[in-house]
Amino acid sequence: MHQPMNTQDKNSIHLSYDNAAFTNTCKSDADTSDSGYKLKKHEVSLQKNQNSATSNSQDDVTNVSPINIKESDNESENSDLGIYQIEKTNTTSDFSVNVAENCKETHGNLTIDEKVTKGYSKRTSLMSYIKEKLLSGKNTETQKEKTEGQGEERETWGKKIDFLLSVIGFAVDLGNVWRFPYICYNNGGGAFLVPYLLMLIFLGLPLFYMELALGQFQKCGAISVWNRICPVFTGVGYGICLVSTFVGMYYNTIIAWGVFYMFASFRSEVPWAGCNNSWNTQNCMSLSNNFNRSLVTNYTVSASDEYYTNEVLGVQGDHGLENLGAPRWQLVLSLAAVFLIVYFSIWKGIKSSGKAVWITATVPYVVLTILLVRGCTLPGAVDGIKYYITPVWHKLLDEQVWIDAASQIFFSLGPGFGTLLALSSYNNFHNNCYFDAIVVSIINCMTSFMAGFVVFAVLGYMAQAQGVSIENLPTNGPGLVFVVYPEVIATLDGSVFWSIIFFLMLITLGLDSTFGGLEAVITAICDEYPMMRRHRELFVLGLVLVCFLGGLPTVTNGGQYVINLLDSHAAPISLLFICFIEAIAVNWFYGCQKFSNDIERMLGHQPGIFWKVCWVGICPICLLILFVLSCWKYEGLQLMGYVYPPWAVALGWCITASSIICIPIYGVYRFIITPGTLKQKVLRLIRPSELPGHLVLNGRTCNKDSYSISMDQTNVSNSITIESAISLKSSFKMNGDSHNL
């Protein structure tokens, strides 16, 4: 809320800025030595002629002597953030001040109280004039490029459903199918739903809501957003980009496996149905052909398992990370096909990806429903489902169950990847992101629970067919979807059809998650470096090529060991720390109440006390605990009996640290390049240095944001609201480096 300033210098024009979400108040007060800008007036005269003031339907205050702005020489003595002086020039051209709605100006008996209309679009407002003058200082070329990029109207979603499908597609991925069912039954079955729902309410949903609201209000990606929150943490954005790039290198290989399987299914019989193939061994056992079915021993290997390990991965030619072997051309082509689809789905931004998700986000639900109906009709399915949902209450006393619940919720909803920030930044300003957060979270959790029924119905059938317990079957990770499920499919009538739709589901589940992950990088880079936005197609092509080349080691004979290394170190540990810093920066440095005020401007109401308590305390504490436990309980890596050597573990921790270390490195760099005293540096690094440009464009309403101008003793007190008086094409800046207001 604006508060008038006490003016001591009667020959000065004083400009104060008060923003509830932006704690920089600009005023000139010798007693307080507060941060701000001093606008020094030299013989500025106002036209007090009532006739001239009322001659037009719009009101203006003119000055026959324009002003010139220069940086003060005594910045360090008088201001924390810098002082600028405005002096009169000899030019005779005019400038005008557009007066906002309900802005009253008294000249004798004259009272003005009218709305500012678009008729003054060709006039230069005082604030526009000030900005133009400030921009003419140093760093002109750099600022001009960035201002032009920010001045472009931001693209928005064509339909609300496009955004919802994109977020749902990102949240619902392969982990919902191969991870949640295993964690659920391994941690108490139906009893696991208690910690799972509690972690959803107190951890996952608040973080999900926070990122959606943050991206929608600030309208920028994971790098630029920190200039509007707390510049010292800008390294968080670069760390997020590294994490998303690492994930893009290996996650798409799993999709490529699905592509390989789907194309291999286009034949009269799925290739893993029998044991008379070149990749089979003497220990092969086939349920579909009843081959060696009666000779099941500890050495027996299913036909689908041998197809996966020997034909798809080519593990028989591998001896671990020490000898990866050459890339397998079949997988290279499959990976190239995946990235080709990804490129043409995201190269045009949300215009193209918003259409692609209509297929990639809806097909999995159609296929899951079909598979659920078919799976429930299989013999032994009921036993598998009972095994899945039967509660084991005593397991709730195990702290590992609660840790698994928190981890599953966190990585299922996907905060910290920057994707939610990027996707929501293209929303309309007044979109109901609170509703979106609730709906998407519920859909994501229901999908995970539904996938558990699909998986355990099949596991029950498989266990009965082999005469073994469910515990002896692969129930987690790639082994579930590339070994167990294909083996079951081979025993069904119409196995080719079931195989095609199942792997089509896996491909679509993975693709829309890839769309979201890469869009986080693209939006972050393009917003921070506007030149990239003008060449988006080339930039996206370069990013896709980087991920493709980085993914080549994952399609070698030892590729699965590379995937396991990246999957364990690229994202899980570093994202916990990144998200912890994000929660601290937004709710402690920027301010939970200021963030709540931002949400109020978008939605019309403040978040409840529950959300604020979660943002300030519960979420940071949970994230910090999860991060510490993830590091403390780390016991090395192993896969299929192969123990990773120390150098591989060290490499994994280097990958983890590469994204975390971006935060302190950038903080130190920003501290070094920021001018001023120690106090000035600290203030400039922890206070927002940029006001979102869209808040001063297109009539946006920003309650609690106002400017006040006081001139001499003329009792001129113009409260010029951003929505009606300041027509700027780019964001206001209050940073001594760029000399922008």
Side-chain angles (χ1 to χ4, degrees):
M1 181 176 180
H2 168 67
Q3 296 178 352
M5 221 172 13
N6 294 327
T7 305
Q8 294 182 355
D9 185 0
K10 297 182 180 180
N11 293 322
S12 296
I13 301 175
H14 298 275
L15 171 66
S16 70
Y17 171 60
D18 184 11
N19 178 7
F22 184 15
T23 57
N24 296 326
T25 301
C26 299
K27 53 186 177 181
S28 174
D29 194 328
D31 295 334
T32 62
S33 297
D34 199 359
S35 58
Y37 296 83
K38 178 179 178 183
L39 311 181
K40 184 176 180 182
K41 170 179 173 291
H42 292 268
E43 299 178 6
V44 177
S45 61
L46 296 174
Q47 291 185 353
K48 300 183 180 180
N49 190 313
Q50 180 176 356
N51 294 332
S52 63
T54 58
S55 59
N56 298 318
S57 59
Q58 295 84 12
D59 302 312
D60 67 289
V61 179
T62 58
N63 186 341
V64 296
S65 300
I67 56 180
N68 182 38
I69 299 177
K70 67 178 183 178
E71 183 179 359
S72 174
D73 296 330
N74 59 344
E75 174 182 347
S76 61
E77 299 178 2
N78 297 290
S79 172
D80 293 334
L81 296 179
I83 294 179
Y84 291 85
Q85 295 180 337
I86 299 182
E87 297 184 349
K88 182 176 82 82
T89 64
N90 295 326
T91 310
T92 59
S93 59
D94 297 339
F95 74 95
S96 63
V97 178
N98 292 336
V99 186
E101 181 180 2
N102 299 326
C103 175
K104 297 183 179 180
E105 178 184 0
T106 305
H107 288 229
N109 297 325
L110 174 61
T111 300
I112 301 174
D113 187 5
E114 296 184 4
K115 290 184 177 181
V116 176
T117 64
K118 294 182 180 178
Y120 273 40
S121 60
K122 294 183 179 180
R123 292 185 176 274
T124 305
S125 68
L126 174 61
M127 298 307 302
S128 299
Y129 186 85
I130 292 174
K131 180 175 178 60
E132 180 182 355
K133 288 293 183 180
L134 290 176
L135 283 176
S136 62
K138 59 183 180 180
N139 297 329
T140 302
E141 295 182 0
T142 303
Q143 287 300 323
K144 181 178 179 182
E145 178 181 334
K146 195 162 188 175
T147 300
E148 289 176 353
Q150 293 176 344
E152 299 174 0
E153 185 176 356
R154 192 174 187 83
E155 186 180 10
T156 58
W157 295 98
K159 297 178 182 178
K160 174 68 172 287
I161 190 64
D162 294 347
F163 166 71
L164 287 177
L165 288 176
S166 297
V167 177
I168 291 172
F170 168 72
V172 179
D173 63 354
L174 294 173
N176 294 73
V177 175
W178 75 31
R179 178 172 170 80
F180 175 83
Y182 165 77
I183 289 181
C184 185
Y185 102 85
N186 197 46
N187 289 283
F192 179 73
L193 295 180
V194 174
Y196 182 76
L197 292 177
L198 287 176
M199 291 302 171
L200 169 66
I201 294 172
F202 290 100
L203 177 63
L205 187 54
L207 290 173
F208 197 84
Y209 180 25
M210 184 186 77
E211 285 209 0
L212 287 183
L214 190 64
Q216 183 171 304
F217 184 83
Q218 302 294 350
K219 288 195 176 299
C220 58
I223 298 178
S224 301
V225 71
W226 295 102
N227 286 327
R228 305 175 182 184
I229 299 175
C230 190
V232 72
F233 292 120
T234 304
V236 169
Y238 290 101
I240 288 174
C241 290
L242 270 180
V243 169
S244 297
T245 304
F246 285 141
V247 172
M249 290 179 180
Y250 77 88
Y251 188 79
N252 291 283
T253 300
I254 301 175
I255 307 175
W257 294 348
V259 172
F260 186 97
Y261 268 87
M262 189 180 71
F263 278 98
S265 301
F266 284 95
R267 57 183 68 185
S268 58
E269 183 182 53
V270 291
W272 56 86
C275 290
N276 55 346
N277 302 289
S278 59
W279 57 82
N280 294 126
T281 66
Q282 60 183 1
N283 295 323
C284 177
M285 182 271 295
S286 172
L287 289 178
S288 59
N289 295 338
N290 292 321
F291 184 81
N292 282 344
R293 184 170 181 176
S294 60
L295 300 177
V296 176
T297 66
N298 292 334
Y299 301 99
T300 303
V301 182
S302 67
S304 61
D305 194 350
E306 290 194 342
Y307 180 79
Y308 172 66
T309 56
N310 299 337
E311 175 65 10
V312 179
L313 302 182
V315 177
Q316 73 273 20
D318 159 65
H319 300 288
L321 288 175
E322 298 85 352
N323 182 19
L324 292 178
R328 297 176 60 79
W329 68 268
Q330 303 96 325
L331 293 181
V332 172
L333 292 180
S334 299
L335 185 63
V338 170
F339 276 112
L340 192 65
I341 296 172
V342 170
Y343 175 72
F344 286 107
S345 296
I346 65 176
W347 70 322
K348 291 293 185 181
I350 59 175
K351 290 182 179 178
S352 54
S353 63
K355 301 299 182 292
V357 293
W358 278 85
I359 298 175
T360 57
T362 56
V363 167
Y365 289 96
V366 175
V367 177
L368 274 176
T369 303
I370 296 174
L371 293 176
L372 176 61
V373 174
R374 182 66 182 94
C376 290
T377 63
L378 297 174
V382 175
D383 295 334
I385 292 175
K386 287 181 179 179
Y387 190 88
Y388 168 55
I389 64 176
T390 300
V392 183
W393 298 108
H394 69 84
K395 284 200 172 185
L396 295 183
L397 300 177
D398 185 358
E399 69 277 4
Q400 187 61 43
V401 174
W402 296 85
I403 295 173
D404 287 344
S407 300
Q408 176 62 23
I409 279 293
F410 179 80
F411 292 110
S412 179
L413 292 177
F417 278 96
T419 301
L420 302 178
L421 273 172
L423 297 180
S424 62
S425 70
Y426 299 106
N427 275 335
N428 293 322
F429 187 75
H430 295 291
N431 173 67
N432 192 346
C433 56
Y434 173 73
F435 170 82
D436 298 340
I438 298 293
V439 169
V440 174
S441 299
I442 292 176
I443 291 176
N444 177 71
C445 294
M446 293 300 295
T447 303
S448 298
F449 197 60
M450 176 185 176
F453 285 96
V454 175
V455 168
F456 275 87
V458 170
L459 289 177
Y461 165 72
M462 189 72 171
Q464 179 175 312
Q466 293 188 6
V468 298
S469 174
I470 292 180
E471 291 93 339
N472 297 326
L473 297 174
T475 55
N476 186 26
L480 174 64
V481 296
F482 293 109
V483 176
V484 177
Y485 232 101
E487 184 70 21
V488 173
I489 287 174
T491 66
L492 302 177
D493 294 334
S495 59
V496 172
F497 167 77
W498 295 111
S499 178
I500 291 173
I501 67 168
F502 175 75
F503 289 108
L504 178 63
M505 179 192 71
L506 293 184
I507 293 169
T508 53
L509 277 174
L511 281 175
D512 43 22
S513 296
T514 295
F515 296 163
L518 294 183
E519 185 60 48
V521 180
I522 296 167
T523 299
I525 298 297
C526 289
D527 285 343
E528 181 67 12
Y529 307 99
M531 181 183 66
M532 295 296 186
R533 184 184 298 113
R534 294 193 291 269
H535 306 284
R536 178 185 171 100
E537 291 85 355
L538 292 177
F539 173 65
V540 175
L541 178 61
L543 178 63
V544 168
L545 287 176
V546 168
C547 292
F548 174 74
L549 295 176
L552 288 180
T554 65
V555 294
T556 59
N557 297 114
Q560 61 175 340
Y561 301 111
V562 179
I563 291 176
N564 188 50
L565 178 68
L566 292 174
D567 188 48
S568 302
H569 284 280
I573 300 176
S574 55
L575 271 187
L576 289 171
F577 184 78
I578 286 174
C579 212
F580 165 73
I581 295 296
E582 180 180 318
I584 292 296
V586 172
N587 298 290
W588 290 16
F589 285 84
Y590 182 69
C592 180
Q593 186 55 50
K594 296 172 188 176
F595 179 54
S596 300
N597 292 338
D598 295 344
I599 294 177
E600 183 182 12
R601 294 180 188 125
M602 295 187 296
L603 306 184
H605 59 81
Q606 286 262 339
I609 186 64
F610 165 78
W611 302 106
K612 296 179 182 180
V613 170
C614 289
W615 290 333
V616 172
I618 296 177
C619 290
I621 291 174
C622 289
L623 291 169
L624 183 59
I625 291 175
L626 287 174
F627 173 73
V628 173
L629 289 177
S630 298
C631 297
W632 180 44
K633 291 194 172 186
Y634 182 85
E635 298 179 350
L637 296 175
Q638 60 178 356
L639 180 66
M640 298 176 61
Y642 172 77
V643 179
Y644 284 69
W647 67 265
V649 174
L651 176 61
W653 280 108
C654 289
I655 295 173
T656 298
S658 64
S659 53
I660 295 177
I661 204 173
C662 290
I663 303 173
I665 286 179
Y666 188 88
V668 172
Y669 163 74
R670 190 71 175 259
F671 181 83
I672 293 174
I673 67 172
T674 299
T677 63
L678 177 62
K679 180 182 178 181
Q680 291 172 342
K681 287 175 178 284
V682 172
L683 290 176
R684 286 168 174 166
L685 290 177
I686 65 175
R687 292 177 176 177
S689 62
E690 181 177 322
L691 181 67
H694 62 278
L695 297 182
V696 298
L697 293 174
N698 302 326
R700 294 292 187 201
T701 300
C702 288
N703 303 327
K704 305 175 185 175
D705 294 344
S706 61
Y707 285 88
S708 176
I709 300 177
S710 300
M711 299 182 180
D712 293 336
Q713 295 179 338
T714 58
N715 296 323
V716 179
S717 180
N718 297 332
S719 294
I720 305 178
T721 61
I722 295 179
E723 67 169 309
S724 55
I726 307 170
S727 55
L728 300 180
K729 293 183 178 179
S730 61
S731 304
F732 282 97
K733 299 210 179 232
M734 304 189 70
N735 190 316
D737 304 339
S738 58
H739 297 282
N740 290 318
L741 182 61

